[in-house]
Amino acid sequence: MSDRLLVSTRKGLMDVRRGHGGDWRVENVHFLGVPVVNTLRDPRNGFLFASLDHGHYGAKLHRSTDDGQSWEEMTAPSYQGVAGDVALQMIWTLAAGGGDQAGVLWAGTLPGGLFKSEDNGESWSLNEPLWSVPEKAAWMGGGYDDPGIHSICVDPRNSNRILLGLSVAGVWLTEDGGQSWSLSAQGMWAEYVPPDIKHNGEIQDPHLIAQCLGAPDTYWCQHHNGVFVSNDNAKSWQELKNAPISRFGFPVAVHPQDPQRAWFVPAQGDDARFPVDGKVVVNRTSDGGQSFETLRAGLPQAHAYDLVYRHAFVVDATGERLAMGSTTGALWVSEDGGDTWATVNAHLPPIYAIEFL
Amino acid sequence: MAKLVFTSHLRAVGPTGDSHFEGSTVLEVLDKAFAEHDLLQSYILDDQRRLRKHISIFLDGVRLPAGQALASPVSNTSEIYVMQALSGG
């Protein structure tokens, strides 16, 4: 089981450790005062990456090759030379390439560009084929003003097969390492556009997509207006209309081996982004979405207005430990698959992302 | 040479004190500084080499309008201050 979390917050990166007694505590803070958007630990070499979003000075990328003892600023992905009024706004997510692609990293950005590094983050290049798809004219902003890539699922069976989730620009699949892309959103629908285009793939708003690494034909998606699952390698998606509390939310976590088991954190809706009735809950399915349990033990059940962002809800490699962070700065951990939760800290800065190390 | 001073927030990526560079415009002076400090440019300019929205440039004590700041002419006695705007953070 994982005993360590990296927690990306509005005021720095919290290194959270589990003590021998089972208590979790903040052991160190990096980049204090600077908003940290997300992190990645490359499983192939242990390098850590942190995406920063200086309010005044732009989006930056830092790397640690000594497990977080020291950090160096890297050259961030850049839209320099790209036609149009575009500039890097945020490095929203980072992903490691496959085990057979040493040094390959992917970066999903706002305003919607996918960048690739082949040298452990020393340099980056924009993926032109995705940036040039004709459907891009219909992409739009969601929570941010511009479209952005938040989900990068590198298939564990084939490093050249990569599924992307974009807000608000659909689900995109490459099977040739990024040389060509096609929409992979069949079955999704959108309530925020006129009815005659609600099934168009390029305007779907997946909030997060997670692939089951042990059964990679299964993907789960928390969409803007529903929970979806695909069991056919993302050829099609089925909506699960029985998800309780609310169909709206941001995150999803899937068990690393069991494709039937996934967790969601519902919220009121896009017009009111807080927990329904002020109660923080987690929805869990263990049967592929045929039924859901709503888990509350240890979570605040009155006047809680904690919103959980898409990257701030994670499961560890065993599928037993989960961690969840909120916009109100609460950090919770479960060590029993979500049955019960313990508060690690209720007074952190707003939490943007969490990663188990 | 024009005198160039950056906000102390940028000491990790730029000159640690006052510096002097040749140039006939603010951008020409900045480019000389960028040449000596690899990461500095991305803190001041965006990917299209536009002044970042929340950076203020003062020339001889006068704050320059954002859209004209980079092209503003400077002289050998000019003092350029690159500061963090109070907005945007």
Side-chain angles (χ1 to χ4, degrees), chain A residues 36-333:
Chain A
V36 180
V37 175
N38 213 334
T39 62
L40 167 72
R41 181 166 74 169
D42 188 333
R44 300 162 300 182
N45 55 18
F47 289 3
L48 301 180
F49 295 85
S51 158
L52 275 54
D53 181 23
H54 287 271
H56 298 80
Y57 307 120
K60 310 298 178 196
L61 180 67
H62 290 248
R63 184 179 74 180
S64 173
T65 58
D66 56 11
D67 202 31
Q69 294 181 58
S70 64
W71 296 83
E72 60 180 327
E73 183 171 345
M74 314 298 290
T75 299
S78 172
Y79 289 82
Q80 189 168 356
V82 177
D85 182 23
V86 289
L88 179 69
Q89 296 169 28
M90 181 185 290
I91 305 166
W92 208 3
T93 191
L94 294 156
D100 59 339
Q101 294 181 329
V104 170
L105 299 168
W106 299 95
T109 72
L110 278 83
L114 177 70
F115 287 81
K116 182 182 184 182
S117 172
E118 297 182 306
D119 51 13
N120 291 306
E122 300 278 346
S123 63
W124 296 87
S125 58
L126 177 68
N127 182 274
E128 293 283 355
L130 182 66
W131 189 250
S132 304
V133 295
E135 294 89 344
K136 184 164 163 286
W139 293 8
M140 52 188 164
Y144 296 103
D145 290 343
D146 291 294
I149 299 173
H150 49 64
S151 300
I152 303 174
C153 302
V154 179
D155 197 305
R157 301 162 296 190
N158 176 2
S159 302
N160 288 322
R161 188 176 193 280
I162 302 167
L163 188 86
L164 304 179
L166 285 78
S167 289
V168 179
V171 183
W172 291 86
L173 176 68
T174 179
E175 298 189 280
D176 54 16
Q179 296 179 58
S180 63
W181 296 88
S182 59
L183 279 162
S184 192
Q186 186 179 345
M188 291 182 174
W189 69 282
E191 68 176 3
Y192 43 83
V193 294
D196 57 334
I197 62 168
K198 69 178 183 180
H199 292 296
N200 288 12
E202 67 274 15
I203 51 84
Q204 298 304 319
D205 184 19
H207 282 178
L208 195 76
I209 299 173
Q211 184 179 23
C212 179
L213 296 180
D217 273 3
T218 295
Y219 294 84
W220 290 86
C221 175
Q222 173 65 65
H223 184 283
H224 189 94
N225 49 255
V227 169
F228 291 82
V229 64
S230 172
N231 292 306
D232 60 3
N233 217 8
K235 291 185 180 69
S236 65
W237 298 85
Q238 290 77 49
E239 184 178 8
L240 301 172
K241 296 182 179 178
N242 55 335
I245 308 294
S246 172
R247 61 183 179 165
F248 183 85
F250 287 99
V252 54
V254 58
H255 192 285
Q257 288 89 39
D258 181 358
Q260 306 285 302
R261 196 165 170 87
W263 297 261
F264 297 84
V265 185
Q268 178 76 32
D270 58 1
D271 58 339
R273 300 180 180 206
F274 52 82
V276 176
D277 297 330
K279 300 174 180 178
V280 178
V281 302
V282 172
N283 282 337
R284 180 179 67 196
T285 179
S286 301
D287 55 13
Q290 294 181 56
S291 65
F292 288 86
E293 305 163 82
T294 298
L295 311 169
R296 308 171 183 271
L299 298 172
Q301 295 301 296
H303 287 291
Y305 301 100
D306 299 74
L307 186 69
V308 177
Y309 279 156
R310 70 199 77 221
H311 295 130
F313 184 69
V314 288
V315 60
D316 81 346
T318 69
E320 285 301 305
R321 286 192 178 159
L322 295 112
M324 176 167 68
S326 80
T327 54
T328 312
L331 176 63
W332 299 281
V333 169

Side-chain angles (χ1 to χ4, degrees), chain A residues 10 35 54-60 62 73-75 77-88, chain B residues 7 9-10 13 39 41-44 46-50 52-55 83-89:
Chain A
R10 183 172 170 81
H54 287 271
H56 298 80
Y57 307 120
K60 310 298 178 196
H62 290 248
E73 183 171 345
M74 314 298 290
T75 299
S78 172
Y79 289 82
Q80 189 168 356
V82 177
D85 182 23
V86 289
L88 179 69
Chain B
T7 168
H9 297 165
L10 294 176
V13 293
L39 294 169
Q41 174 175 305
S42 75
Y43 283 71
I44 308 300
D46 72 12
D47 299 351
Q48 304 295 340
R49 304 202 86 224
R50 297 172 297 203
R52 287 195 179 278
K53 185 177 179 181
H54 300 294
I55 297 289
M83 310 301 288
Q84 169 184 304
L86 296 184
S87 59

Side-chain angles (χ1 to χ4, degrees), chain B residues 19-77:
Chain B
S19 53
H20 294 79
F21 296 99
E22 298 279 1
S24 61
T25 65
V26 168
L27 182 58
E28 286 184 16
V29 173
L30 286 173
D31 274 336
K32 297 283 174 48
F34 297 156
E36 293 186 7
H37 302 274
D38 292 343
L39 294 169
L40 182 60
Q41 174 175 305
S42 75
Y43 283 71
I44 308 300
L45 308 181
D46 72 12
D47 299 351
Q48 304 295 340
R49 304 202 86 224
R50 297 172 297 203
L51 186 65
R52 287 195 179 278
K53 185 177 179 181
H54 300 294
I55 297 289
S56 294
I57 294 185
F58 292 79
L59 177 61
D60 297 328
V62 177
R63 183 181 178 191
L64 299 174
Q68 303 164 27
L70 297 177
S72 295
V74 299
S75 69
N76 278 339
T77 58

